[in-house]
């Protein structure tokens, strides 16, 4: 039977759109499902403030009445203005390994992009840089993380068959936690702290985080401004992410570096005990038991992995050793918690300064992901 692609709008179809990912990867030991409720919120214009400057369309592919693929078309007008581009994005893409299905899905999203007079299609990307982006091209035998996409090895082959080419790569590293802070690392920290008048800020309660919460994301705006595809977060988006992230942080695993003279946040690290196994057990749902698995891996000892979730340094202080201050604080925290290694999460292959910071540590490059692009 031929493939039928339908643009969807209803809440029932949106749930099918989200749940197809869980169905396609059921039993896969490396796939980490997100929470259905969170993904529905991301895709909904009524709840995601990114729709102030984005628009989207969602498509499901059917064969014999069964869903066999999904794809979203996204236009981020702010990113196009920032980067002087006229691009559409594709994201939230999954499909069985079938040429006809893949052709039909991308044909639908390309027609939608052309209707909006776009020149290029790039992805996989989300609405913002904080959504999942980058198709896995190496590391299919490695478990994913909460912040990343896992996909089968046939995905990139299908994209290349359609004529998509590499636009950008991200590397991911497994970084072993040392028994002690490297001596050179500690020496750099002491010099940088004194030279620039910086101090480390830690939190004991979430109430103490509140005065800094929005400032962290304002620092993120500055730190990430030059990164691939980034568009500045609005106040409404910052409110959205503060509400989403602050309740789940492990306070010991958060470190800020501020300037003593004016308390400006110049660098931050939001690290989180790895939730990959917990999310696999939750199977997309908080209830009845998903919350327990997540809380156990988030707050109880015994989780040997930490995710370096969001780390940023404002441009004024980049390449000056400020990152050393972050890890000067966090390494003892990780040691005390019994952490064996950290997942770096995606780092642009062109961002040599970020990758050089791991030179002090034993590390393994274990995953690579790619954004593709095609003229339409």
């Amino acid at each position: 039977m031929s493939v039928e692609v339908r643009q969807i709008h209803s809440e029932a179809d949106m749930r099918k759109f989200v749940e197809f990912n869980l169905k396609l990867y059921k039993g896969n030991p490396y796939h980490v499902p997100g929470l259905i409720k969170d993904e529905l919120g991301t895709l909904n214009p009524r709840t995601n403030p990114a729709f102030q400057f984005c628009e989207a369309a969602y498509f499901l592919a059917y064969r014999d009445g069964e869903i066999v693929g999904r794809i979203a078309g996204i236009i981020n007008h702010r990113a196009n203005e920032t980067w002087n581009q006229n691009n559409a994005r594709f994201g939230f893409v999954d499909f069985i390994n079938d040429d006809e299905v893949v052709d039909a899905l991308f044909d639908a999203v390309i027609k939608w992009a052309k209707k909006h007079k776009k020149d290029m299609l790039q992805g996989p990307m989300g609405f913002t840089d904080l959504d999942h982006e980058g198709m896995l091209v190496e590391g299919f035998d490695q478990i994913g993380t909460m912040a990343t996409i896992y996909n089968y090895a046939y995905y990139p082959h299908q994209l290349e068959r359609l004529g998509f080419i590499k636009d950008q790569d991200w590397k991911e590293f497994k970084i072993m936690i040392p028994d002690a802070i490297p001596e050179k690392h500690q020496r750099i920290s002491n010099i940088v702290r004194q030279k620039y008048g910086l101090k480390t800020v830690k939190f004991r309660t979430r109430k103490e985080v509140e005065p800094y919460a929005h400032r962290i994301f304002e620092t993120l705006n500055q730190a990430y401004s030059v990164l691939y595809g980034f568009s500045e977060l609005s106040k409404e988006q910052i409110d959205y992410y503060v509400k989403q992230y602050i309740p789940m942080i492990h306070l010991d695993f958060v470190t800020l570096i501020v300037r003593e003279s004016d308390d400006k946040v110049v660098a931050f690290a939001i690290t989180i005990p790895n939730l990959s196994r917990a999310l696999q057990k939750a199977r997309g749902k908080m209830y009845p038991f998903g919350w327990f698995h997540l809380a156990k891996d988030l707050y109880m000892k015994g989780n040997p992995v930490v995710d370096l979730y969001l780390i940023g340094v404002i441009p004024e202080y980049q390449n000056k050793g400020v990152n050393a201050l972050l890890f000067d604080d966090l390494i003892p925290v990780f040691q005390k918690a019994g952490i064996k290694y950290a997942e770096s999460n995606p780092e642009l292959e062109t961002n040599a300064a970020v990758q050089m910071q791991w030179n002090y540590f034993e590390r393994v490059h274990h995953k690579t992901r790619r954004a593709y692009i095609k003229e339409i």
Side-chain angles (χ1 to χ4, degrees):
M1 292 287 291
S2 61
V3 177
E4 178 191 3
V5 175
R6 307 173 194 168
Q7 185 173 348
I8 62 168
H9 305 280
S10 72
E11 290 185 9
D13 282 341
M14 287 301 300
R15 191 171 187 89
K16 293 176 185 176
F17 182 92
V18 170
E19 290 181 345
F20 175 70
N21 175 267
L22 280 75
K23 180 182 177 182
L24 186 64
Y25 289 93
K26 185 177 181 180
N28 185 291
Y30 309 116
H31 173 253
V32 177
L35 294 173
I36 293 170
K37 183 179 177 182
D38 288 350
E39 189 156 318
L40 286 170
T42 298
L43 298 171
N44 192 335
R46 295 193 300 272
T47 54
N48 186 350
F51 280 90
Q52 292 174 338
F53 51 86
C54 291
E55 53 187 302
Y58 310 117
F59 302 91
L60 284 173
Y62 287 82
R63 177 184 280 149
D64 294 335
E66 182 181 355
I67 297 173
V68 289
R70 70 169 190 171
I71 195 168
I74 298 168
I75 300 171
N76 182 324
H77 296 288
R78 179 174 291 172
N80 279 337
E81 291 170 6
T82 299
W83 298 96
N84 192 28
Q85 296 171 337
N86 188 35
N87 295 351
R89 301 175 171 187
F90 69 89
F92 303 93
V93 60
D94 287 300
F95 43 78
I96 64 172
N97 191 16
D98 184 290
D99 292 0
E100 187 181 14
V101 170
V102 177
D103 291 349
L105 281 171
F106 278 89
D107 183 59
V109 83
I110 286 171
K111 284 180 179 176
W112 176 82
K114 284 183 174 180
K115 184 179 176 181
H116 288 78
K117 296 181 170 47
K118 298 304 164 191
D119 300 325
M120 310 287 283
L121 183 64
Q122 64 181 151
M125 299 178 72
F127 298 95
T128 75
D129 203 53
L130 297 186
D131 295 326
H132 292 173
E133 58 188 4
M135 182 173 286
L136 194 66
V137 294
E138 293 178 349
F140 301 105
D141 60 348
Q142 301 291 318
I143 190 169
T145 67
M146 180 175 67
T148 60
I149 297 168
Y150 181 84
N151 55 264
Y152 289 119
Y154 62 78
Y155 278 43
H157 296 301
Q158 286 286 359
L159 267 288
E160 289 156 15
R161 180 184 65 80
L162 291 178
F164 282 90
I165 62 173
K166 171 184 170 180
D167 196 27
Q168 185 63 256
D169 273 8
W170 292 265
K171 293 182 177 180
E172 294 179 46
F173 296 90
K174 185 182 290 187
I175 304 147
M176 308 306 164
I177 304 303
D179 295 331
I181 300 171
E183 183 181 345
K184 186 174 181 180
H185 201 87
Q186 198 164 33
R187 188 166 64 250
I188 291 171
S189 297
N190 292 334
I191 293 170
V192 169
R193 185 180 290 109
Q194 294 175 16
K195 182 176 181 179
Y196 299 109
L198 304 176
K199 67 177 181 179
T200 301
V201 173
K202 299 293 286 185
F203 304 105
R204 292 169 298 177
T205 67
R206 279 173 174 72
K207 190 172 182 63
E208 292 179 353
V209 181
E210 291 175 6
Y212 288 95
H214 284 76
R215 290 158 61 188
I216 291 170
F217 284 95
E218 289 163 2
T219 298
L220 182 149
N221 267 339
Q222 297 176 57
Y224 287 20
S225 62
V226 297
L227 299 184
Y228 174 82
F230 185 76
S231 59
E232 183 175 304
L233 300 178
S234 65
K235 179 185 180 303
E236 290 78 10
Q237 283 180 286
I238 291 175
D239 290 340
Y240 176 78
Y241 288 123
V242 166
K243 185 178 179 180
Q244 183 176 356
Y245 288 117
I246 297 305
M248 67 176 288
I249 62 173
H250 191 304
L251 294 172
D252 289 345
F253 285 45
V254 176
T255 301
L256 303 188
I257 306 300
V258 304
R259 196 161 54 202
E260 289 188 289
S261 61
D262 58 2
D263 207 35
K264 179 178 177 59
V265 178
V266 303
F268 67 91
I270 299 176
T271 67
I272 299 175
N274 181 273
L275 298 178
S276 297
R277 300 297 184 189
L279 285 165
Q280 287 181 331
K281 294 173 183 176
R283 299 178 183 175
K285 299 177 181 179
M286 284 291 285
Y287 301 100
F289 301 116
W291 66 270
F292 171 77
H293 298 302
L294 292 166
K296 180 175 179 291
D297 279 2
L298 192 59
Y299 298 114
M300 300 180 190
K301 285 189 176 182
N303 187 344
V305 186
V306 65
D307 283 0
L308 308 184
Y309 198 63
L310 292 174
I311 298 177
V313 180
I314 62 173
E316 181 183 350
Y317 287 89
Q318 289 175 6
N319 302 315
K320 293 182 177 178
V322 174
N323 276 12
L325 290 176
L326 294 170
F327 292 102
D328 186 50
D329 175 77
L330 286 170
I331 287 172
V333 173
F334 296 160
Q335 291 169 337
K336 184 178 179 181
I339 301 296
K340 301 302 182 185
Y341 71 89
E343 286 274 2
S344 72
N345 282 309
E347 300 175 345
L348 287 168
E349 67 172 355
T350 54
N351 196 341
V354 169
Q355 290 169 40
M356 281 177 61
Q357 72 184 329
W358 309 131
N359 288 346
Y360 304 109
F361 306 96
E362 180 186 351
R363 69 196 187 280
V364 177
H365 170 214
H366 65 319
K367 285 178 266 188
T368 303
R369 57 189 64 253
R370 178 166 298 164
Y372 288 91
I373 195 164
K374 178 182 178 179
E375 187 175 353
I376 57 175

